[in-house]
Amino acid sequence: MTAGLDTPDRHGRTGLDRHGRDLTGNPRVRVRDVDVLSCDWYVLRKTAFDYQHSDGRWSREQRETYDRGDGATVLLHNTERRTVLLTRQFRLPAYVNGHPDGMLIEAAAGLLDSDAPEGAVRREAAEETGHVIGAPEPVFTVYMSPGSVTERLHFYATPYDPVTTVTDGYGVAEEGEDIATVELPFGEALAMIRSGDIADAKTIMLLQWAALDGPFRHPGPAAHPY
């Protein structure tokens, strides 16, 4: 008996080795076997599949996929002040891969868990910035790292009203979160992409959308923010 397969793991999950076996959308892909390598927190699988190449040849391939669930992120913006409200928190993976201190400036974000995407961004905005937001505007949904990570990230934007609050201490303490808010003039935020001070992909995508097609776009013909 193996946890996560035929008995529940610590998150109550079973059947984790059946994920992807019944896919039929692409006739050039035939899934042959799925091995669960880890299900301690998220799920790491190794999948063997037959793939038909464009010349008709079939080959046996193997890929590892990391399944952490889907997520949602939201850009809080204020057009009157021309500001955006972001967060700063420690990210170990970035720290061990070259970031000077691991403290990344980001848009509020989190996993969906059992929520719908809109509900998730409402939850994360409140937890990470202290703001209760209205109905967020859908922006797009993308695969952030499709070569290895299954996650789809739902992007939103919404206005926020400035409030006088402390600028740190947000996040869920039980999950080890220690999050500060960072309010930036929009032009400064764009400049921080160029300088490398903002290096988080989802945040860069939201800021560029805001400049090109969002609340800070220029009237008339589209202007490149760079």
Side-chain angles (χ1 to χ4, degrees), residues 13 35-36 44 56 68 99 119 128 156 187 190 202 206 218 222:
R13 301 172 297 196
D35 291 326
V36 176
L44 178 63
R68 60 193 300 269
H99 193 276
E128 297 193 357
Y156 291 87
L190 289 180
K202 65 180 180 294
L206 280 169
H218 295 290

Side-chain angles (χ1 to χ4, degrees), residues 50-221:
D50 294 335
Y51 180 76
Q52 186 181 35
H53 297 260
S54 56
D55 61 3
R57 175 178 55 91
W58 286 88
S59 66
R60 178 63 55 89
E61 307 291 338
Q62 286 189 348
R63 298 290 188 275
E64 291 184 4
T65 58
Y66 190 56
D67 183 356
R68 60 193 300 269
D70 292 341
T73 183
V74 60
L75 178 67
L76 276 65
H77 57 82
N78 185 289
T79 54
E80 291 184 5
R81 291 159 53 92
R82 293 192 62 81
T83 57
V84 292
L85 188 66
L86 304 175
T87 69
R88 179 186 285 114
Q89 60 181 305
F90 177 69
R91 296 297 199 183
L92 177 65
Y95 188 43
V96 301
N97 194 30
H99 193 276
D101 59 8
M103 302 299 293
L104 264 63
I105 297 176
E106 308 177 30
L111 295 178
L112 302 187
D113 296 327
S114 59
D115 291 330
E118 183 174 319
V121 292
R122 289 175 179 271
R123 180 194 69 220
E124 294 300 325
E127 288 180 358
E128 297 193 357
T129 72
H131 285 263
V132 177
I133 64 174
E137 174 188 359
V139 177
F140 37 63
T141 298
V142 303
Y143 293 93
M144 293 297 290
S145 186
S148 57
V149 182
T150 62
E151 179 184 18
R152 289 180 301 174
L153 192 61
H154 302 265
F155 286 69
Y156 291 87
T158 192
Y160 75 96
D161 292 324
V163 293
T164 303
T165 62
V166 296
T167 58
D168 56 16
Y170 293 113
V172 180
E174 292 78 8
E175 298 177 4
E177 293 181 337
D178 182 18
I179 300 173
T181 57
V182 181
E183 187 178 51
L184 294 170
F186 183 68
E188 182 178 339
L190 289 180
M192 292 173 72
I193 298 174
R194 293 190 290 269
S195 68
D197 292 307
I198 291 180
D200 172 67
K202 65 180 180 294
T203 306
I204 293 172
M205 293 167 69
L206 280 169
L207 291 173
Q208 291 180 339
W209 164 82
L212 293 171
D213 198 34
F216 299 107
R217 65 185 180 275
H218 295 290

